Amino acid sequence: MIEFVAHNLAPIMFGSLVIFLLLGYPVAFSLAANGLLFFVIGVELAPLSPDINLFWPLLGALPDRFFGGIMSNDTLLAIPFFTFMGLILERSGMAEDLLDTIGQLFGPLRGGLAYAVIFVGALLAATTGVVAASVIAMGLISLPIMLRYGYDRRLASGVIVASGTLAQIVPPSLVLIVLADQLGRSVGDMYSGALVPALVLTGLYVTYIFGLTMFNAKSAPALPPEARTLGGGVTSLIVALVLTIAVSWVASIYLEPEVHQGAVIWGAVIGVLLIYSAAVINKAFKLTIMSYLAQQVIIVMIPPLALIFLVLGTIFLGVATPTEGGAMGAVGALILAFGKRKLNIDLMTQAMESTAKLSAFVLFILIGARVFSLTFYGVNGHIWVEELLTAVPGGETGFLIVVNILVFFLAFFLDFFELAFIIVPLLAPAAENLGIDLIWFGVLLGINMQTSFMHPPFGFALFYLRSVAAKVPYLDRITGKRMEPVTTGQIYWGAIPFLCIQLVMVALTIMFPGMVMRYKGEQAPAEPANIQIQLPSIGGGNGFGLPPLGAPGGTGASPSGQNNPLGLPPLGLPAPAPGTGSAPAGGAAQPSLGLPPLQLGGPDANAPATGANPASGTGSDTSAPTSGANEPNGSSSAPAIDLSQPPSFN
């Protein structure tokens, strides 16, 4: 029994961790306690199994793993920055303004409020990166409005939960930061790879709402005319958009000779600033340059879009690292809150307290994961997991199917941070051995982990919405009607269609990896066989303008240097005189290097009498060997060599 435990310590250790988590123990303490317990067991059982590489001095590596691997990790600094930025924006009222304005813009359409919630959810995801902030903000603001105008409770709940979870995959996502850190890849590449799948997933949500309203219009009716307080004026908004594009294009053409890089970006900045200034002047002086709807949309939309560009644009352009981009985003959020006159001590205290709690939560899980991995790697657990996954039938496809099913079911019980710190480090080596790009693999796992917020009955986003949705009947403050509460079952059933859409997105990412692989760039490097190197002609007929190579005259040189492509100075190769028998009897050319003859047989050795080739500058009468010395059958007329005597040089 002891031998069985010693040889199977890795699966037993992993199984015990799952049991601890299912029993409800905190993740960080479960990881650390499990790692230390099995470290003691592994040290005692090490003599019984060659797979166990644990010994007591190995515990001395833990401080270095804490301080060198966690505390000094610059990538993790982006987590508190983006968390603080999101909390400031969520508490400054930006989400309320966006939902009200975009809801008015899409109000005349069936399902217009649902479109607005999805659109604003994507914007909040790109500015906050925190699922809890997005779901709670939209649950408080949009759910009463959607119920007021007759939206189906399941549809309203599902749209809010699904759009809030876009913060999982839309950059700058905290999940993508953690995944990049665990996979050992660049956060900027992870952001770039996740951008297109995030937009496609948002489009799938919109498509589902459109299809639902086509077959069941009562589930998502349009806003009545009396609810559209901003009035009409969509034409004015379209004209303003066209003018912005035109000004940006003209400015980019004008700046292109002056700006070597980024002329299009600077042109877009000029166009946006111009239209924003026009909207602000129109509002301040109560002009009629544009409609009230266009004015409000421009004033409300441009600041968060500018913040998104400040954060993501600088990262994608390579101007700033993700940590620096997060710092700029935090400062930008403070400026926006100050501009809305919402920045005060209470706001700062709440945001900093929540940021400290989330950052400490992440760091404690990381510390526990380091303790667990030290023991798990010491019992060759990573090899066990790698061999288990690479042995799955179907190769790469089978591996991806099994991994996604595993992550999907583990997401019923584990949070995305727990999945990222426990499961991803075990899956990454197997994926890399199968030749899977880790950025693509990370984005795929990020989309799959998004379902962890949507799983009934354990999805955290469902809990967030449940905490702010009405639990008892209430009177609507606008219409005065009695509104029924939203039940937990309605929230769960509303999330299931969007959960299926997320699984469809996982399949699309597997079938079309180019959506993610675009992060490598549009142009692939040229094949080595197609690369041609052309050197310029510096001077002279030989291409380099160097002096000629070889002896003048003779049969091997020509005055024009045709057989002298490099044109190097002569090396002192004397040309044989005509008629002196410069070639052996076999007809092979005998090179002459101008060196004294080599005699291996001592001073009295006899040289062949024929084929003499006198050396330049010497008086010796030594001959070259005859043709028989070079014949393969070994017949030769060369004299015997006395190896007992040292060679002599004359």
Side-chain angles (χ1 to χ4, degrees):
M1 182 64 181
I2 299 298
E3 287 79 5
F4 175 81
V5 173
H7 288 286
N8 296 276
L9 197 59
I12 294 173
M13 182 179 179
F14 187 78
S16 65
L17 174 64
V18 175
I19 293 174
F20 279 133
L21 295 176
L22 292 178
L23 289 176
Y25 286 99
V27 178
F29 300 113
S30 297
L31 286 168
N34 202 46
L36 292 176
L37 173 63
F38 278 89
F39 187 91
V40 176
I41 297 174
V43 171
E44 297 298 327
L45 297 182
L48 301 178
S49 174
D51 295 332
I52 301 177
N53 303 309
L54 296 176
F55 45 91
W56 292 115
L58 193 60
L59 285 176
L62 283 179
D64 181 66
R65 292 172 68 85
F66 294 159
F67 291 98
I70 300 176
M71 303 302 178
S72 61
N73 192 337
D74 294 337
T75 302
L76 297 178
L77 280 176
I79 293 177
F81 283 136
F82 284 120
T83 305
F84 181 78
M85 178 183 74
L87 293 172
I88 289 291
L89 291 176
E90 184 261 329
R91 287 169 170 80
S92 65
M94 185 191 72
E96 183 175 357
D97 293 341
L98 282 172
L99 281 170
D100 181 56
T101 304
I102 305 303
Q104 295 279 341
L105 180 63
F106 290 104
L109 303 176
R110 284 184 295 182
L113 285 177
Y115 295 141
V117 169
I118 294 173
F119 187 73
V120 173
L123 282 178
L124 290 179
T127 51
T128 63
V130 182
V131 174
S134 300
V135 174
I136 291 174
M138 289 188 294
L140 287 172
I141 300 166
S142 63
L143 184 60
I145 300 175
M146 298 174 79
L147 298 181
R148 179 184 305 152
Y149 295 110
Y151 271 67
D152 182 79
R153 282 169 164 73
R154 291 176 296 180
L155 175 62
S157 302
V159 167
I160 292 172
V161 171
S163 59
T165 55
L166 286 173
Q168 283 271 101
I169 193 64
V170 175
S173 166
L174 300 183
V175 178
L176 297 178
I177 296 174
V178 174
L179 285 174
D181 177 69
Q182 295 299 306
L183 294 172
R185 292 298 183 267
S186 166
V187 178
D189 289 343
M190 192 71 74
Y191 281 176
S192 180
L195 187 59
V196 172
L199 296 176
V200 173
L201 182 60
T202 306
L204 290 178
Y205 288 167
V206 172
T207 304
Y208 170 71
I209 298 298
F210 177 77
L212 188 64
T213 54
M214 291 294 293
F215 294 100
N216 187 10
K218 294 183 179 180
S219 62
L223 283 179
E226 61 271 13
R228 305 171 199 167
T229 57
L230 295 182
V234 177
T235 304
S236 177
L237 180 62
I238 295 175
V239 171
L241 180 62
V242 171
L243 287 176
T244 303
I245 296 174
V247 171
S248 301
W249 180 66
V250 172
S252 63
I253 294 178
Y254 177 77
L255 292 174
E256 189 170 2
E258 306 294 333
V259 181
H260 298 288
Q261 185 177 5
V264 176
I265 296 174
W266 284 109
V269 169
I270 293 174
V272 170
L273 286 177
L274 181 62
I275 197 65
Y276 185 74
S277 302
V280 171
I281 293 172
N282 188 77
K283 180 179 181 180
F285 295 97
K286 297 181 181 180
L287 304 177
T288 57
I289 300 176
M290 60 182 66
S291 66
Y292 185 65
L293 175 65
Q295 167 193 300
Q296 287 300 111
V297 170
I298 292 172
I299 292 176
V300 171
M301 288 285 296
I302 287 182
L305 290 176
L307 186 62
I308 293 172
F309 172 76
L310 179 67
V311 176
L312 296 182
T314 53
I315 294 174
F316 291 157
L317 293 175
V319 177
T321 65
T323 302
E324 295 166 348
M328 290 190 296
V331 175
L334 291 175
I335 295 174
L336 290 181
F338 179 78
K340 294 178 66 65
R341 300 179 182 179
K342 296 292 183 67
L343 187 62
N344 51 47
I345 297 298
D346 292 337
L347 176 63
M348 292 290 294
T349 302
Q350 294 174 8
M352 293 176 69
E353 182 180 356
S354 300
T355 301
K357 286 181 179 179
L358 181 61
S359 301
F361 170 74
V362 173
L363 286 179
F364 268 100
I365 292 181
L366 266 176
I367 290 173
R370 293 286 177 170
V371 178
F372 178 83
S373 65
L374 177 70
T375 304
F376 196 69
Y377 279 58
V379 297
N380 285 334
H382 60 297
I383 298 177
W384 169 70
V385 173
E386 183 178 334
E387 292 177 350
L388 183 67
L389 293 175
T390 53
V392 172
E396 179 181 332
T397 304
F399 168 80
L400 291 173
I401 293 174
V402 170
V403 164
N404 280 282
I405 293 175
L406 173 67
V407 172
F408 178 77
F409 282 105
L410 286 177
F412 275 95
F413 314 103
L414 302 178
D415 184 49
F416 72 94
F417 277 126
E418 300 158 5
L419 289 171
F421 292 138
I422 300 173
I423 304 300
V424 172
L426 302 179
L427 301 178
E432 194 167 15
N433 284 344
L434 289 173
I436 298 174
D437 185 87
L438 291 186
I439 293 291
W440 177 74
F441 187 63
V443 173
L444 181 65
L445 291 181
I447 299 172
N448 201 333
M449 288 180 189
Q450 193 176 1
T451 61
S452 67
F453 282 92
M454 302 278 288
H455 278 308
F458 304 111
F460 285 90
L462 307 179
F463 295 156
Y464 299 148
L465 183 60
R466 175 70 279 175
S467 66
V468 297
K471 301 179 180 64
V472 295
Y474 66 96
L475 293 178
D476 185 73
R477 62 184 180 87
I478 301 297
T479 62
K481 295 181 180 179
R482 185 178 185 271
M483 306 297 295
E484 294 298 324
V486 178
T487 65
T488 303
Q490 289 171 341
I491 295 176
Y492 287 171
W493 281 109
I496 289 178
F498 294 93
L499 181 64
C500 296
I501 292 175
Q502 291 173 350
L503 295 179
V504 169
M505 189 63 219
V506 172
L508 290 176
T509 307
I510 295 177
M511 291 188 295
F512 304 100
M515 290 189 297
V516 179
M517 301 303 290
R518 58 173 292 279
Y519 82 93
K520 292 187 174 181
E522 299 293 336
Q523 296 182 353
E527 296 293 333
N530 299 329
I531 297 177
Q532 297 181 357
I533 300 176
Q534 296 182 355
L535 296 176
S537 177
I538 301 175
N542 50 35
F544 290 90
L546 298 176
L549 169 68
T555 60
S558 64
S560 62
Q562 294 177 357
N563 294 330
N564 179 22
L566 299 180
L568 298 175
L571 297 180
L573 305 179
T580 57
S582 58
Q590 177 71 20
S592 177
L593 299 179
L595 299 176
L598 175 65
Q599 294 182 354
L600 298 178
D604 297 331
N606 297 321
T610 62
N613 188 8
S616 174
T618 63
S620 60
D621 191 18
T622 310
S623 327
T626 61
S627 62
N630 295 327
E631 293 181 3
N633 60 7
S635 60
S636 173
S637 59
I641 299 175
D642 186 5
L643 298 179
S644 63
Q645 299 294 329
S648 62
F649 299 91
N650 292 331

